[in-house]
Amino acid sequence: QLQLEESGGGLVQPGGSLRLSCTASGFTLDDYAIGWFRQAPGKEREGVSCISSSGDSTVYANDVQGRFTISRDNAKNMVFLQMDNLGPEDTAVYYCAIKPLTCINWTRRDRYLELWGQGTRVTVSS
């Protein structure tokens, strides 16, 4: 069964850090770019970051640039999102998704395969 599973979310104080993980099962991530998306209550799902299949190219949304770092470990079939200096605006459910090879048009959900996990909830609050 093909599956993506996000983990690592939780409650953190403003200024804190979390590391999210995305694990694939039933297939390998080697040939896919991975995008991280998030959906805050009452808002549309939005792109946060993307990493190409090779790992050589990464992109970030403007409001997380410099605070978030995406990485991948193909040997472990996992992708990570290190989130630092978190603020209340980062509160959302975070999802990972796959698309072929590159991060071209990475913010467009229709460029990703219909294979979404349950997400992992991040709450930033004091």
Side-chain angles (χ1 to χ4, degrees), residues 90-112:
D90 298 313
T91 294
V93 179
Y94 285 72
Y95 303 87
C96 60
I98 60 173
K99 64 186 300 293
L101 296 177
T102 74
C103 292
I104 294 174
N105 292 317
W106 71 278
T107 60
R108 292 183 54 173
R109 286 181 59 185
D110 64 347
R111 298 297 184 178
Y112 292 80

Side-chain angles (χ1 to χ4, degrees), residues 1-6 22-29 77 96-98 114-119:
Q1 183 177 0
L2 308 182
Q3 193 172 9
L4 290 171
E5 182 176 6
E6 303 89 349
C22 172
T23 304
S25 56
F27 69 104
T28 61
L29 290 174
N77 220 27
C96 60
I98 60 173
E114 282 299 319
L115 182 66
W116 296 85
Q118 295 298 308

